[in-house]
């Protein structure tokens, strides 16, 4: 039996030094990098929110056109505390014959701004579809100075306090321009091509490389 050489002794020592629990080259490879980091996930979430908001706006526009629904803003507090100043109300145009005492309605006045108050009385008009109504603001102590002869009115369905200033601001060209730029930047960032290559695997030195 030949005596072991120096090279064979080194190989045996390297083999003995390796244990099943020692990290191998494959175990040292970092996990595969994901395409979506935190920023990409945030961008996707914002895009989904924008898409849902856009869809909701489309649905609301269709409903508004088909059901004669519009928005009105309250600049004064004549209907406080029910509808304080700065509120926005959703109103629907209906025939005057469909309203009742106690309803809050908007009446259009020729040459003046519309008035939105609560109906206090209803009387028949000159024609079948015409009504003569008196109204009073909830914050007022007396009825309006004169009755209103109407064939159609806009009934207040519900109101949201404090958002009139937001809606007015949305009509500002600077605000609209900023929103447009922000939305464009978000879309470009979300769909900008990103590298999908994984980082090179790091190889642990073995006993044979020492």
């Amino acid at each position: 039996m030949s005596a072991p050489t120096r090279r064979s002794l080194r190989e045996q020592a390297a083999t003995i030094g390796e244990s099943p629990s020692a990290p191998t080259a494959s175990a040292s490879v970092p996990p595969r990098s994901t395409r979506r980091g935190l920023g990409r996930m945030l961008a996707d979430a914002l895009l989904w929110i924008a898409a849902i908001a856009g869809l909701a706006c489309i649905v609301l526009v269709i409903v508004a056109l088909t059901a004669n629904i519009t928005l009105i803003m309250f600049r004064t507090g004549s209907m406080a505390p029910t509808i304080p100043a700065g509120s926005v109300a959703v109103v629907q145009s209906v025939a005057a014959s469909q309203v009742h005492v106690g309803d809050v309605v908007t009446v259009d006045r020729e040459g003046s701004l519309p008035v939105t108050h609560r109906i206090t009385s209803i009387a028949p008009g000159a024609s079948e579809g015409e009504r003569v109504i008196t109204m009073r603001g909830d914050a007022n102590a007396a009825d309006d100075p004169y009755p209103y002869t109407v064939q159609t009115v806009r009934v207040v369905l519900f109101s949201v306090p404090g958002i009139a200033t937001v809606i007015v601001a949305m009509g500002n060209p600077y605000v609209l321009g900023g929103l447009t730029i922000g939305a464009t930047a978000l879309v470009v960032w979300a769909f900008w091509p990103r590298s999908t290559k994984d980082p090179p695997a790091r190889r642990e030195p073995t006993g044979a490389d020492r």
Side-chain angles (χ1 to χ4, degrees), residues 33 68 92 102 144 168 170 187 189 195:
S33 59
N68 295 322
Q92 182 178 22
D144 295 350
V168 172
M170 292 293 290
V187 171
W189 179 37
S195 175

Side-chain angles (χ1 to χ4, degrees), residues 25-66:
S26 59
S28 63
V29 177
R32 182 167 181 166
S33 59
T34 59
R35 287 188 61 190
R36 291 185 175 180
L38 182 60
R40 183 63 183 271
M41 293 177 64
L42 178 60
D44 290 345
L46 292 176
L47 284 174
W48 274 106
I49 293 174
I52 293 173
L55 180 60
C57 290
I58 293 174
V59 172
L60 290 176
V61 169
I62 294 174
V63 171
L65 292 176
T66 56

Side-chain angles (χ1 to χ4, degrees), residues 27-146:
S28 63
V29 177
R32 182 167 181 166
S33 59
T34 59
R35 287 188 61 190
R36 291 185 175 180
L38 182 60
R40 183 63 183 271
M41 293 177 64
L42 178 60
D44 290 345
L46 292 176
L47 284 174
W48 274 106
I49 293 174
I52 293 173
L55 180 60
C57 290
I58 293 174
V59 172
L60 290 176
V61 169
I62 294 174
V63 171
L65 292 176
T66 56
N68 295 322
I69 292 176
T70 55
L71 300 178
I72 59 172
M73 291 183 289
F74 287 78
R75 298 180 181 273
T76 66
S78 63
M79 279 300 297
T82 307
I83 307 176
S87 300
V88 172
V90 177
V91 297
Q92 182 178 22
S93 180
V94 298
S97 58
Q98 299 180 12
V99 298
H100 305 85
V101 172
D103 290 343
V104 179
V105 300
T106 298
V107 173
D108 294 317
R109 300 180 295 176
E110 186 176 356
S112 300
L113 293 175
V115 59
T116 304
H117 284 165
R118 193 179 301 275
I119 298 176
T120 56
S121 69
I122 303 176
S127 63
E128 181 179 355
E130 191 175 77
R131 296 292 185 273
V132 179
I133 63 175
T134 59
M135 301 196 303
R136 178 191 303 180
D138 288 359
N140 298 339
D143 289 349
D144 295 350
Y146 48 84

Side-chain angles (χ1 to χ4, degrees), residues 183-208:
T184 303
L186 177 62
V187 171
V188 171
W189 179 37
F191 291 99
W192 191 265
R194 290 169 171 79
S195 175
T196 59
K197 295 181 179 180
D198 293 336
R202 183 180 177 183
R203 182 173 175 268
E204 288 290 336
T206 62

